[in-house]
Amino acid sequence: MKKIIILFLAILGGFLWTGAKVTQAQPIVSDPPIIIPQEVTVRYQRVNVTIEDQIATTHIDQLFVNENDWMLEGTYFFPLPAEATVTQLTMWVDGVPIEAKILEKEEARQIYDNIVRQLRDPALLEYVGMQAVQANVFPIPPHSERRVEIEYSQILSAENGIIHYVYPQSTKLFTNVPLENQSIRVEVRSKEAIRAIYSPTHPVAVSRDGDFRAVAGFEGVNVVADQDFELYYTVSPEEIGLNLLSYRESGENGFFLLLIAPTVQVSEVVAKDVILVMDTSGSMDGEKMAQVREAAAYIVGHLNPEDRFNIVAFSTGTTRFAPELVPANRSGDYRAFLNSLLPVGGTNISQALLETAEMADPARPTTIIFLTDGLATEGITDTQLLLDAVKQAMPENVRLFAFGVGDDVDTVLLDSLAQNHRGTTTYVRPFQAIDEAVSSFFAKVNTPVMTDLELEVDGIVVEDLYPPQLPDLFAGTQLVVVGRYRDGGPATITLRGQVNGEEQVFTYPDLFFRIRSGESFIPRLWATRAVGHLLTQIRLQGENPELVQSVVNLSLRYGIITPYTSFLIEEDDIFSQTGRAVIEEEAMSLAATPAPFTGAEAVSEAATQAEMTAAEAPLPLATRLVTEEVVVEGKTAVPDTPIQYAGSKTFVWRDGKWIDTAYQPERHTRQQVGFATNTYFELLDTFPELADYFSLGTEVLVVYEGQAYEVVEGLGETAVTLPDNSPNTPAPTSQSQPPNPITTTRDDFIQSPTINPTANTVWFLISLLIAIPLFLGIGLLIGRHTGK
């Protein structure tokens, strides 16, 4: 009988344990159940935004697909932009209006915190401080769809004449799978003239309809929605608008970005001269020659009436369309001239450029478009001698734009020509069309608005501007200038330039450089341009220890991958002084190795550096970053790409954690914080900016306000000392008074698991109903067996 009782207790205990487990997995509590992100697919996401006089109406259309064999249940969340004043909210599910609730920041914060605790996943911390929309749009049956639409309106604020719109990429709340299709369309209408339209996060195409309406669009397939969509646009009554964005961390020099954009409908166009210098050597035979002819015809056919032009074809010698510059409105039969050109002979670059220099009129802005597919084989063939000769002969008003066709060009020659004469280089690879590249470029520079630009800043010390020398300003385009500044405060910026030989001056008073915080993308954009410029100088001018060291330092701080910075994605020591010294020594050795100046590798390198130098937004990492920690046999494995960006910082994967590249063991003492403890969340309350960094994972080391905070998985409550200037630190009454620590007890944090008592009672009764007959049946069988 004793054995029977034990068996009964074991069976009954099994049912009770099973019931408790089910209850905990599906608790009846105030927080909604969580959807496993990998289980739901987003077939499409279409976002249409209308902004009229700073009132933005956002309509989101999303199609969710459950491709599993089981039901998906949960609650839908959509984070609203921080600081958004939502004036109207409407929501539909499969075309039927439903009731949706706007969660205020504190209520949304509690839900986000609970999700982080339940899933042990800090990725949602980036939404801390935001309101959220909550609605019941689930369950989704197996192999079914659910269409969700949201529309809300908000008032956008303006600062320094800049209006900023943000669409939160909230897909992490319901999927980690790339969006199959995504489109974002923003239409801007304004009573004030719209000048610049700029996105630091997504490549947008901009279409303008006069000065008061514009449309920006983005489309993509298999989109990894790992950052919010941001759009800035500026308004200004000036013919040329200039607007300021800035960012500064406490105790460091700041970073700024200027958006300079002219009116779309210009009242005065600068008359210019255009000289097309085209290679007709034997290597241009075939499709290349046909495309160059089309490109030349496009340029001549789209000149302004006041412009003048000429065509200089070169091979072993040169052939001109006309002895002198020709007025565009009397262009003559230039097509017959182009068709008569034959691809024969060598490549006499020096003769072609020196004759062009003689033709240039120093009194008029002159654009030279230089196309070649090879090396100099005739005339001056030494690259440096050729550069010196052209530089001495070319007037200062000339802007030279080089096009390298194919991979057999001299990249040092082309890039140096463009740099010496305030132009750019475009490399047309073998798989690209020459005529498309040239016509696209010329459409942007065909209408100069102001040339010889200069900037002056009064009230603030600025330095390290990129581009170092401002290019000319053209109608329908915008100029993005980045730089650094000391301190912060009000300033006046003056822009000077030439319009048809007369100086024009524009003054922009009352601009404010931030003393703290701001737009965190600016530092990495500045560093991207700086590294691109430095690498170009090293490639063109040879090894320079100071430049190489600057590249290494910037790459370390901002996570920019270069030929000298493989240490970022390897297990090298980049934090100690000894480790950094080794890295610099290796970089110097690499820089001393002669690099190829021609061929596919050289062209790729030159094109990449040109892209960095002219970047209008921080360049993303080449491959998608895998930041999730993968557990293999009880150990945390290394992510596929051990480098990650968060805010203005860069983190690398070392020793099983994400470590801020600003961390230096010699300077910073670690303060450990247990992941998802009360101290962890209270630290986020004190410094909301830490959410971006803590969202990287459960093991993170970040330097903030001079303190190093180390998040540790499995660590209990700890006391954390705040910096003296923190919001929660009272002013000390004496120098001996210590800063205020965050303190919580472990008993405050440990809570009993949430179990529904009603559900447990039900499971208990069910267990009894099943167990008692089973017990009686077993007893009867045993009794019969004993009776026998």
Side-chain angles (χ1 to χ4, degrees), residues 351-365:
Q351 182 179 347
L353 291 178
L354 293 175
E355 286 187 9
T356 301
E358 293 177 357
M359 197 185 311
D361 184 351
R364 285 168 61 101

Side-chain angles (χ1 to χ4, degrees), residues 30 70 145 158 166 177 179 216 267 302 311 328 371 373 380 431 455 485 500 561 577-578 591 610 635 664 736:
S30 58
W70 54 85
E145 300 176 343
V166 178
V177 180
L179 307 179
S267 57
H302 287 79
I311 303 172
L371 296 97
D373 76 334
I380 304 174
F431 49 85
L455 276 175
Y485 65 93
N500 285 326
I561 305 300
Q577 292 181 353
T578 302
K635 297 182 179 180
Q664 298 181 31
S736 61

Side-chain angles (χ1 to χ4, degrees), residues 441-470:
F441 156 79
F442 190 71
K444 298 176 183 177
V445 303
N446 188 30
T447 309
V449 174
M450 191 161 66
T451 62
D452 301 320
L453 272 61
E454 295 180 359
L455 276 175
E456 295 179 7
V457 181
D458 294 323
I460 293 291
V461 177
V462 300
E463 54 196 2
D464 298 331
L465 270 67
Y466 294 100
Q469 195 169 34
L470 298 184

Side-chain angles (χ1 to χ4, degrees), residues 476-593:
T477 66
Q478 60 195 33
L479 178 59
V480 179
V481 180
V482 294
R484 303 209 64 175
Y485 65 93
R486 303 177 191 174
D487 302 321
T492 297
I493 296 180
T494 302
L495 177 66
R496 304 176 186 274
Q498 297 290 321
V499 178
N500 285 326
E502 296 184 2
E503 185 181 59
Q504 297 286 331
V505 180
F506 297 87
T507 302
Y508 308 89
D510 303 325
L511 297 175
F512 190 83
F513 288 75
R514 287 179 178 266
I515 297 174
R516 184 175 176 180
S517 71
E519 315 301 325
S520 61
F521 72 90
I522 303 177
R524 183 163 290 106
L525 173 57
W526 175 87
T528 299
R529 287 193 174 186
V531 169
H533 175 77
L534 292 170
L535 289 174
T536 300
Q537 301 314 303
I538 294 171
R539 180 170 56 86
L540 299 183
Q541 301 174 11
E543 174 193 358
N544 183 308
E546 185 176 348
L547 298 184
V548 173
Q549 185 177 18
S550 296
V551 169
V552 170
N553 291 340
L554 290 174
S555 299
L556 276 169
R557 175 64 180 83
Y558 298 102
I560 299 172
I561 305 300
T562 72
Y564 305 136
T565 55
S566 61
F567 51 80
L568 283 172
I569 55 177
E570 297 174 357
E571 287 294 331
D572 295 345
D573 173 19
I574 66 172
F575 298 105
S576 69
Q577 292 181 353
T578 302
R580 295 197 177 207
V582 171
I583 290 169
E584 290 179 7
E585 183 178 348
E586 292 176 350
M588 284 300 304
S589 176
L590 181 61
T593 304

Side-chain angles (χ1 to χ4, degrees), residues 312-330:
V312 178
F314 70 93
S315 57
T316 301
T318 61
T319 303
R320 298 187 190 185
F321 169 64
E324 303 294 339
L325 292 167
V326 177
N329 55 8
R330 298 196 300 274

Side-chain angles (χ1 to χ4, degrees), residues 250-320:
S250 178
E252 297 185 9
N253 288 348
F255 301 83
F256 70 90
L257 179 148
L258 296 178
L259 293 171
I260 305 173
T263 177
V264 174
Q265 299 173 337
V266 296
S267 57
E268 186 176 10
V269 176
V270 176
K272 65 182 182 300
D273 294 336
V274 177
I275 306 174
L276 180 63
V277 183
M278 50 187 291
D279 188 344
T280 60
S281 61
S283 58
M284 291 290 292
D285 192 19
E287 185 63 24
K288 287 193 288 187
M289 193 66 203
Q291 290 184 7
V292 168
R293 289 193 186 102
E294 287 301 316
Y298 176 90
I299 291 172
V300 177
H302 287 79
L303 292 171
N304 299 317
E306 299 81 8
D307 294 343
R308 299 183 301 182
F309 80 98
N310 207 342
I311 303 172
V312 178
F314 70 93
S315 57
T316 301
T318 61
T319 303
R320 298 187 190 185

